[in-house]
Amino acid sequence: MMKNIKIGDKLTRIPLIQGGMGVGVSLGRLAGAVAGEGGIGIISTAQIGYREADFDTAPEKANLRAIASEMKKARAISPDGIIGYNVMTALKEHAAHIRAAVKAGADIIISGAGLPTELPELTAGSRTKIAPIVSTDKSAQVILKYWDRKYKRTADLVVIEGPLAGGHLGFRKEELAKYTPESYGEEIQKILRTVRGYRAKYGVDIPVVVAGGIYDSSDVKRVMELGADGVQVATRFVTTEECDADIRYKEAYIRASKEDIVIVKSPVGMPGRAILNPFMERVMSGEKIPHSPCHRCLSKCSPAEIPYCITDGLIHAVKGNIENALLFCGAKAWKATKIDTVREAVQELFA
């Protein structure tokens, strides 16, 4: 039995969140389209201002301006839909991005890539709901206990991101090899038990949504049977007409075979999942790739020491410079065979 997700005074028509994809892959157009279909549309704030004229000289200002303008785009498409932002904790400017997202009228802020310890404080007094991304029961316990003790509040929603997700992963490389769908299913159930404890303590509903490797209706059915309240889907929406990335980025997904999808090391040392291309082959062979002046994206990055710049790689991707790009993707990107619409993708997911 599928139930819909309540965010403030709004209710989804389908238990779906479209996952946030930076840089520029999920902006106002995609988020608005998903919200219009009755799901939750999410705009990623990671280097969101990459198309602004002053991005190279004043990236912080460019990003804050784009946080506001992308919400306007999304709202023009879906005035009453549920639209929010994904703000990575690892961003140098994450606190400013959260404040800007609240100011822009975010229904929800989803935050991972580290533990979003300050999220309740940064959204205090607003109607914006908050959701941490967790990958293990241990991380769920840590963040929920911290918010409970420090802010006397709990999450409005929890996103569990599994080992089949795209982009940066919340696991060490050896953990990725360890998890099977069965053993990760057990981890999901442990997290559900932890969340239930806080539901009982605060007397509120805290929907739990599962992400990572959700591509079709069989994947949706599997996680719903584990007890999840909904799904977060990202990769499936890349190959839609409404996705904000260049057509050549979408075509890279369509061309990719299962063998082309590999675990790579991000410049900041975290494992990530991407499509193997000439750029990634150069990185994996140990080549150090020259990069543009620092755009100050991640708090833990030393520009002089990194093998390549993640901002450069992801901007090349979204602009369609595929040979020189970091092509982040989920484990099932190889299943893409055509460009379709958000409506068709949603119908397939909930067939």
PDB file of all heavy atoms in Angstrom, residues 86-119:
ATOM      1  N   ASN A  86      18.581  20.425  -2.287  1.00  0.00           N
ATOM      2  CA  ASN A  86      19.593  19.564  -1.677  1.00  0.00           C
ATOM      3  C   ASN A  86      20.808  20.455  -1.439  1.00  0.00           C
ATOM      4  O   ASN A  86      21.324  21.068  -2.375  1.00  0.00           O
ATOM      5  CB  ASN A  86      19.950  18.410  -2.627  1.00  0.00           C
ATOM      6  CG  ASN A  86      21.037  17.506  -2.051  1.00  0.00           C
ATOM      7  OD1 ASN A  86      22.166  17.938  -1.843  1.00  0.00           O
ATOM      8  ND2 ASN A  86      20.702  16.273  -1.799  1.00  0.00           N
ATOM      9  N   VAL A  87      21.229  20.562  -0.172  1.00  0.00           N
ATOM     10  CA  VAL A  87      22.412  21.364   0.176  1.00  0.00           C
ATOM     11  C   VAL A  87      23.418  20.435   0.846  1.00  0.00           C
ATOM     12  O   VAL A  87      23.162  19.905   1.924  1.00  0.00           O
ATOM     13  CB  VAL A  87      22.051  22.527   1.133  1.00  0.00           C
ATOM     14  CG1 VAL A  87      23.288  23.382   1.402  1.00  0.00           C
ATOM     15  CG2 VAL A  87      20.930  23.395   0.556  1.00  0.00           C
ATOM     16  N   MET A  88      24.565  20.236   0.197  1.00  0.00           N
ATOM     17  CA  MET A  88      25.581  19.353   0.772  1.00  0.00           C
ATOM     18  C   MET A  88      26.270  20.016   1.959  1.00  0.00           C
ATOM     19  O   MET A  88      26.705  21.170   1.862  1.00  0.00           O
ATOM     20  CB  MET A  88      26.635  18.986  -0.279  1.00  0.00           C
ATOM     21  CG  MET A  88      26.099  18.222  -1.466  1.00  0.00           C
ATOM     22  SD  MET A  88      27.444  17.425  -2.385  1.00  0.00           S
ATOM     23  CE  MET A  88      28.545  18.773  -2.725  1.00  0.00           C
ATOM     24  N   THR A  89      26.403  19.256   3.047  1.00  0.00           N
ATOM     25  CA  THR A  89      27.099  19.766   4.235  1.00  0.00           C
ATOM     26  C   THR A  89      28.573  20.049   3.924  1.00  0.00           C
ATOM     27  O   THR A  89      29.189  20.909   4.549  1.00  0.00           O
ATOM     28  CB  THR A  89      26.984  18.719   5.367  1.00  0.00           C
ATOM     29  OG1 THR A  89      25.605  18.434   5.556  1.00  0.00           O
ATOM     30  CG2 THR A  89      27.552  19.210   6.672  1.00  0.00           C
ATOM     31  N   ALA A  90      29.119  19.333   2.928  1.00  0.00           N
ATOM     32  CA  ALA A  90      30.540  19.486   2.575  1.00  0.00           C
ATOM     33  C   ALA A  90      30.846  20.805   1.869  1.00  0.00           C
ATOM     34  O   ALA A  90      32.007  21.168   1.699  1.00  0.00           O
ATOM     35  CB  ALA A  90      30.976  18.319   1.685  1.00  0.00           C
ATOM     36  N   LEU A  91      29.810  21.534   1.457  1.00  0.00           N
ATOM     37  CA  LEU A  91      30.052  22.810   0.769  1.00  0.00           C
ATOM     38  C   LEU A  91      30.596  23.850   1.740  1.00  0.00           C
ATOM     39  O   LEU A  91      30.110  23.971   2.864  1.00  0.00           O
ATOM     40  CB  LEU A  91      28.753  23.363   0.155  1.00  0.00           C
ATOM     41  CG  LEU A  91      28.081  22.565  -0.961  1.00  0.00           C
ATOM     42  CD1 LEU A  91      26.776  23.243  -1.367  1.00  0.00           C
ATOM     43  CD2 LEU A  91      28.993  22.417  -2.171  1.00  0.00           C
ATOM     44  N   LYS A  92      31.567  24.603   1.281  1.00  0.00           N
ATOM     45  CA  LYS A  92      32.141  25.687   2.084  1.00  0.00           C
ATOM     46  C   LYS A  92      31.045  26.677   2.515  1.00  0.00           C
ATOM     47  O   LYS A  92      31.039  27.167   3.624  1.00  0.00           O
ATOM     48  CB  LYS A  92      33.178  26.409   1.217  1.00  0.00           C
ATOM     49  CG  LYS A  92      34.295  27.033   1.974  1.00  0.00           C
ATOM     50  CD  LYS A  92      35.397  27.492   1.037  1.00  0.00           C
ATOM     51  CE  LYS A  92      36.634  26.660   1.250  1.00  0.00           C
ATOM     52  NZ  LYS A  92      37.764  27.001   0.437  1.00  0.00           N
ATOM     53  N   GLU A  93      30.113  26.959   1.604  1.00  0.00           N
ATOM     54  CA  GLU A  93      29.072  27.971   1.852  1.00  0.00           C
ATOM     55  C   GLU A  93      27.734  27.332   2.250  1.00  0.00           C
ATOM     56  O   GLU A  93      26.677  27.911   1.993  1.00  0.00           O
ATOM     57  CB  GLU A  93      28.872  28.805   0.577  1.00  0.00           C
ATOM     58  CG  GLU A  93      30.091  29.620   0.169  1.00  0.00           C
ATOM     59  CD  GLU A  93      30.376  30.770   1.122  1.00  0.00           C
ATOM     60  OE1 GLU A  93      29.427  31.479   1.501  1.00  0.00           O
ATOM     61  OE2 GLU A  93      31.550  30.952   1.491  1.00  0.00           O
ATOM     62  N   HIS A  94      27.764  26.147   2.847  1.00  0.00           N
ATOM     63  CA  HIS A  94      26.489  25.436   3.046  1.00  0.00           C
ATOM     64  C   HIS A  94      25.515  26.217   3.936  1.00  0.00           C
ATOM     65  O   HIS A  94      24.314  26.226   3.694  1.00  0.00           O
ATOM     66  CB  HIS A  94      26.700  23.997   3.534  1.00  0.00           C
ATOM     67  CG  HIS A  94      26.831  23.843   5.019  1.00  0.00           C
ATOM     68  ND1 HIS A  94      28.029  24.006   5.671  1.00  0.00           N
ATOM     69  CD2 HIS A  94      25.912  23.549   5.968  1.00  0.00           C
ATOM     70  CE1 HIS A  94      27.841  23.820   6.965  1.00  0.00           C
ATOM     71  NE2 HIS A  94      26.570  23.549   7.184  1.00  0.00           N
ATOM     72  N   ALA A  95      26.016  26.924   4.938  1.00  0.00           N
ATOM     73  CA  ALA A  95      25.116  27.687   5.818  1.00  0.00           C
ATOM     74  C   ALA A  95      24.428  28.810   5.039  1.00  0.00           C
ATOM     75  O   ALA A  95      23.214  29.012   5.160  1.00  0.00           O
ATOM     76  CB  ALA A  95      25.884  28.254   7.007  1.00  0.00           C
ATOM     77  N   ALA A  96      25.186  29.510   4.192  1.00  0.00           N
ATOM     78  CA  ALA A  96      24.606  30.587   3.370  1.00  0.00           C
ATOM     79  C   ALA A  96      23.592  30.018   2.378  1.00  0.00           C
ATOM     80  O   ALA A  96      22.550  30.625   2.119  1.00  0.00           O
ATOM     81  CB  ALA A  96      25.715  31.334   2.629  1.00  0.00           C
ATOM     82  N   HIS A  97      23.892  28.824   1.833  1.00  0.00           N
ATOM     83  CA  HIS A  97      22.966  28.188   0.882  1.00  0.00           C
ATOM     84  C   HIS A  97      21.648  27.804   1.577  1.00  0.00           C
ATOM     85  O   HIS A  97      20.574  27.961   0.994  1.00  0.00           O
ATOM     86  CB  HIS A  97      23.604  26.929   0.268  1.00  0.00           C
ATOM     87  CG  HIS A  97      24.626  27.232  -0.777  1.00  0.00           C
ATOM     88  ND1 HIS A  97      24.943  26.362  -1.793  1.00  0.00           N
ATOM     89  CD2 HIS A  97      25.402  28.326  -0.982  1.00  0.00           C
ATOM     90  CE1 HIS A  97      25.877  26.894  -2.568  1.00  0.00           C
ATOM     91  NE2 HIS A  97      26.179  28.084  -2.080  1.00  0.00           N
ATOM     92  N   ILE A  98      21.750  27.309   2.798  1.00  0.00           N
ATOM     93  CA  ILE A  98      20.528  26.919   3.526  1.00  0.00           C
ATOM     94  C   ILE A  98      19.675  28.159   3.801  1.00  0.00           C
ATOM     95  O   ILE A  98      18.461  28.153   3.580  1.00  0.00           O
ATOM     96  CB  ILE A  98      20.880  26.153   4.824  1.00  0.00           C
ATOM     97  CG1 ILE A  98      21.408  24.756   4.472  1.00  0.00           C
ATOM     98  CG2 ILE A  98      19.654  26.044   5.751  1.00  0.00           C
ATOM     99  CD1 ILE A  98      22.112  24.025   5.597  1.00  0.00           C
ATOM    100  N   ARG A  99      20.313  29.235   4.247  1.00  0.00           N
ATOM    101  CA  ARG A  99      19.552  30.470   4.509  1.00  0.00           C
ATOM    102  C   ARG A  99      18.901  30.995   3.235  1.00  0.00           C
ATOM    103  O   ARG A  99      17.754  31.444   3.240  1.00  0.00           O
ATOM    104  CB  ARG A  99      20.475  31.543   5.118  1.00  0.00           C
ATOM    105  CG  ARG A  99      20.894  31.215   6.544  1.00  0.00           C
ATOM    106  CD  ARG A  99      21.578  32.402   7.218  1.00  0.00           C
ATOM    107  NE  ARG A  99      22.274  31.968   8.416  1.00  0.00           N
ATOM    108  CZ  ARG A  99      23.586  31.730   8.483  1.00  0.00           C
ATOM    109  NH1 ARG A  99      24.357  31.907   7.423  1.00  0.00           N
ATOM    110  NH2 ARG A  99      24.143  31.326   9.607  1.00  0.00           N
ATOM    111  N   ALA A 100      19.636  30.923   2.122  1.00  0.00           N
ATOM    112  CA  ALA A 100      19.101  31.397   0.839  1.00  0.00           C
ATOM    113  C   ALA A 100      17.939  30.523   0.367  1.00  0.00           C
ATOM    114  O   ALA A 100      16.965  31.017  -0.202  1.00  0.00           O
ATOM    115  CB  ALA A 100      20.201  31.413  -0.219  1.00  0.00           C
ATOM    116  N   ALA A 101      18.043  29.221   0.627  1.00  0.00           N
ATOM    117  CA  ALA A 101      16.972  28.286   0.246  1.00  0.00           C
ATOM    118  C   ALA A 101      15.700  28.571   1.038  1.00  0.00           C
ATOM    119  O   ALA A 101      14.589  28.564   0.497  1.00  0.00           O
ATOM    120  CB  ALA A 101      17.438  26.848   0.464  1.00  0.00           C
ATOM    121  N   VAL A 102      15.867  28.838   2.325  1.00  0.00           N
ATOM    122  CA  VAL A 102      14.713  29.187   3.184  1.00  0.00           C
ATOM    123  C   VAL A 102      14.069  30.473   2.664  1.00  0.00           C
ATOM    124  O   VAL A 102      12.853  30.561   2.491  1.00  0.00           O
ATOM    125  CB  VAL A 102      15.151  29.343   4.662  1.00  0.00           C
ATOM    126  CG1 VAL A 102      14.039  29.968   5.504  1.00  0.00           C
ATOM    127  CG2 VAL A 102      15.568  27.989   5.247  1.00  0.00           C
ATOM    128  N   LYS A 103      14.911  31.469   2.372  1.00  0.00           N
ATOM    129  CA  LYS A 103      14.430  32.764   1.884  1.00  0.00           C
ATOM    130  C   LYS A 103      13.685  32.602   0.551  1.00  0.00           C
ATOM    131  O   LYS A 103      12.699  33.302   0.282  1.00  0.00           O
ATOM    132  CB  LYS A 103      15.633  33.711   1.713  1.00  0.00           C
ATOM    133  CG  LYS A 103      15.239  35.159   1.519  1.00  0.00           C
ATOM    134  CD  LYS A 103      16.479  36.046   1.435  1.00  0.00           C
ATOM    135  CE  LYS A 103      16.118  37.429   0.934  1.00  0.00           C
ATOM    136  NZ  LYS A 103      17.325  38.205   0.602  1.00  0.00           N
ATOM    137  N   ALA A 104      14.151  31.668  -0.287  1.00  0.00           N
ATOM    138  CA  ALA A 104      13.530  31.445  -1.602  1.00  0.00           C
ATOM    139  C   ALA A 104      12.189  30.712  -1.485  1.00  0.00           C
ATOM    140  O   ALA A 104      11.470  30.589  -2.469  1.00  0.00           O
ATOM    141  CB  ALA A 104      14.480  30.655  -2.491  1.00  0.00           C
ATOM    142  N   GLY A 105      11.879  30.216  -0.272  1.00  0.00           N
ATOM    143  CA  GLY A 105      10.593  29.552  -0.067  1.00  0.00           C
ATOM    144  C   GLY A 105      10.640  28.044  -0.196  1.00  0.00           C
ATOM    145  O   GLY A 105       9.654  27.408  -0.597  1.00  0.00           O
ATOM    146  N   ALA A 106      11.779  27.436   0.172  1.00  0.00           N
ATOM    147  CA  ALA A 106      11.899  25.974   0.096  1.00  0.00           C
ATOM    148  C   ALA A 106      10.873  25.292   0.994  1.00  0.00           C
ATOM    149  O   ALA A 106      10.733  25.656   2.158  1.00  0.00           O
ATOM    150  CB  ALA A 106      13.299  25.549   0.538  1.00  0.00           C
ATOM    151  N   ASP A 107      10.175  24.312   0.443  1.00  0.00           N
ATOM    152  CA  ASP A 107       9.286  23.499   1.280  1.00  0.00           C
ATOM    153  C   ASP A 107      10.110  22.559   2.158  1.00  0.00           C
ATOM    154  O   ASP A 107       9.716  22.238   3.276  1.00  0.00           O
ATOM    155  CB  ASP A 107       8.335  22.674   0.403  1.00  0.00           C
ATOM    156  CG  ASP A 107       7.325  23.556  -0.312  1.00  0.00           C
ATOM    157  OD1 ASP A 107       6.683  24.377   0.378  1.00  0.00           O
ATOM    158  OD2 ASP A 107       7.193  23.451  -1.546  1.00  0.00           O
ATOM    159  N   ILE A 108      11.257  22.110   1.624  1.00  0.00           N
ATOM    160  CA  ILE A 108      12.099  21.156   2.361  1.00  0.00           C
ATOM    161  C   ILE A 108      13.553  21.346   1.953  1.00  0.00           C
ATOM    162  O   ILE A 108      13.838  21.727   0.817  1.00  0.00           O
ATOM    163  CB  ILE A 108      11.635  19.691   2.098  1.00  0.00           C
ATOM    164  CG1 ILE A 108      12.390  18.692   2.995  1.00  0.00           C
ATOM    165  CG2 ILE A 108      11.750  19.297   0.617  1.00  0.00           C
ATOM    166  CD1 ILE A 108      11.784  17.293   3.043  1.00  0.00           C
ATOM    167  N   ILE A 109      14.463  21.099   2.900  1.00  0.00           N
ATOM    168  CA  ILE A 109      15.896  21.045   2.593  1.00  0.00           C
ATOM    169  C   ILE A 109      16.391  19.658   2.976  1.00  0.00           C
ATOM    170  O   ILE A 109      16.188  19.207   4.108  1.00  0.00           O
ATOM    171  CB  ILE A 109      16.695  22.140   3.333  1.00  0.00           C
ATOM    172  CG1 ILE A 109      16.335  23.521   2.755  1.00  0.00           C
ATOM    173  CG2 ILE A 109      18.204  21.898   3.199  1.00  0.00           C
ATOM    174  CD1 ILE A 109      16.917  24.690   3.524  1.00  0.00           C
ATOM    175  N   ILE A 110      17.012  19.004   2.003  1.00  0.00           N
ATOM    176  CA  ILE A 110      17.598  17.673   2.225  1.00  0.00           C
ATOM    177  C   ILE A 110      19.103  17.865   2.252  1.00  0.00           C
ATOM    178  O   ILE A 110      19.658  18.536   1.370  1.00  0.00           O
ATOM    179  CB  ILE A 110      17.170  16.708   1.094  1.00  0.00           C
ATOM    180  CG1 ILE A 110      15.644  16.515   1.133  1.00  0.00           C
ATOM    181  CG2 ILE A 110      17.891  15.371   1.220  1.00  0.00           C
ATOM    182  CD1 ILE A 110      15.084  15.707  -0.036  1.00  0.00           C
ATOM    183  N   SER A 111      19.762  17.297   3.261  1.00  0.00           N
ATOM    184  CA  SER A 111      21.192  17.568   3.395  1.00  0.00           C
ATOM    185  C   SER A 111      21.982  16.325   3.780  1.00  0.00           C
ATOM    186  O   SER A 111      21.628  15.621   4.726  1.00  0.00           O
ATOM    187  CB  SER A 111      21.408  18.673   4.433  1.00  0.00           C
ATOM    188  OG  SER A 111      22.739  19.119   4.409  1.00  0.00           O
ATOM    189  N   GLY A 112      23.046  16.075   3.016  1.00  0.00           N
ATOM    190  CA  GLY A 112      23.941  14.954   3.298  1.00  0.00           C
ATOM    191  C   GLY A 112      25.367  15.363   3.016  1.00  0.00           C
ATOM    192  O   GLY A 112      25.732  16.515   3.205  1.00  0.00           O
ATOM    193  N   ALA A 113      26.199  14.408   2.523  1.00  0.00           N
ATOM    194  CA  ALA A 113      27.632  14.641   2.288  1.00  0.00           C
ATOM    195  C   ALA A 113      28.275  15.172   3.566  1.00  0.00           C
ATOM    196  O   ALA A 113      28.887  16.234   3.605  1.00  0.00           O
ATOM    197  CB  ALA A 113      27.859  15.592   1.121  1.00  0.00           C
ATOM    198  N   GLY A 114      28.092  14.412   4.634  1.00  0.00           N
ATOM    199  CA  GLY A 114      28.499  14.826   5.982  1.00  0.00           C
ATOM    200  C   GLY A 114      27.247  14.893   6.832  1.00  0.00           C
ATOM    201  O   GLY A 114      26.134  14.760   6.321  1.00  0.00           O
ATOM    202  N   LEU A 115      27.404  15.087   8.127  1.00  0.00           N
ATOM    203  CA  LEU A 115      26.237  15.142   9.015  1.00  0.00           C
ATOM    204  C   LEU A 115      25.749  16.586   9.155  1.00  0.00           C
ATOM    205  O   LEU A 115      26.506  17.454   9.593  1.00  0.00           O
ATOM    206  CB  LEU A 115      26.581  14.558  10.388  1.00  0.00           C
ATOM    207  CG  LEU A 115      26.789  13.041  10.430  1.00  0.00           C
ATOM    208  CD1 LEU A 115      27.287  12.617  11.802  1.00  0.00           C
ATOM    209  CD2 LEU A 115      25.527  12.277  10.076  1.00  0.00           C
ATOM    210  N   PRO A 116      24.500  16.863   8.770  1.00  0.00           N
ATOM    211  CA  PRO A 116      23.995  18.240   8.803  1.00  0.00           C
ATOM    212  C   PRO A 116      23.607  18.688  10.214  1.00  0.00           C
ATOM    213  O   PRO A 116      22.445  18.923  10.527  1.00  0.00           O
ATOM    214  CB  PRO A 116      22.779  18.174   7.872  1.00  0.00           C
ATOM    215  CG  PRO A 116      22.299  16.764   7.979  1.00  0.00           C
ATOM    216  CD  PRO A 116      23.502  15.909   8.244  1.00  0.00           C
ATOM    217  N   THR A 117      24.622  18.817  11.069  1.00  0.00           N
ATOM    218  CA  THR A 117      24.372  19.094  12.491  1.00  0.00           C
ATOM    219  C   THR A 117      23.660  20.424  12.721  1.00  0.00           C
ATOM    220  O   THR A 117      22.874  20.557  13.653  1.00  0.00           O
ATOM    221  CB  THR A 117      25.698  19.080  13.281  1.00  0.00           C
ATOM    222  OG1 THR A 117      26.635  19.911  12.597  1.00  0.00           O
ATOM    223  CG2 THR A 117      26.260  17.680  13.398  1.00  0.00           C
ATOM    224  N   GLU A 118      23.925  21.442  11.882  1.00  0.00           N
ATOM    225  CA  GLU A 118      23.371  22.788  12.130  1.00  0.00           C
ATOM    226  C   GLU A 118      22.041  23.040  11.419  1.00  0.00           C
ATOM    227  O   GLU A 118      21.495  24.143  11.507  1.00  0.00           O
ATOM    228  CB  GLU A 118      24.366  23.858  11.638  1.00  0.00           C
ATOM    229  CG  GLU A 118      25.728  23.807  12.284  1.00  0.00           C
ATOM    230  CD  GLU A 118      26.735  24.652  11.493  1.00  0.00           C
ATOM    231  OE1 GLU A 118      26.339  25.487  10.670  1.00  0.00           O
ATOM    232  OE2 GLU A 118      27.936  24.453  11.722  1.00  0.00           O
ATOM    233  N   LEU A 119      21.526  22.059  10.700  1.00  0.00           N
ATOM    234  CA  LEU A 119      20.326  22.288   9.877  1.00  0.00           C
ATOM    235  C   LEU A 119      19.131  22.837  10.671  1.00  0.00           C
ATOM    236  O   LEU A 119      18.479  23.778  10.213  1.00  0.00           O
ATOM    237  CB  LEU A 119      19.975  20.992   9.125  1.00  0.00           C
ATOM    238  CG  LEU A 119      18.992  21.068   7.963  1.00  0.00           C
ATOM    239  CD1 LEU A 119      19.361  22.136   6.941  1.00  0.00           C
ATOM    240  CD2 LEU A 119      18.871  19.709   7.266  1.00  0.00           C
TER     241      LEU A 119
END
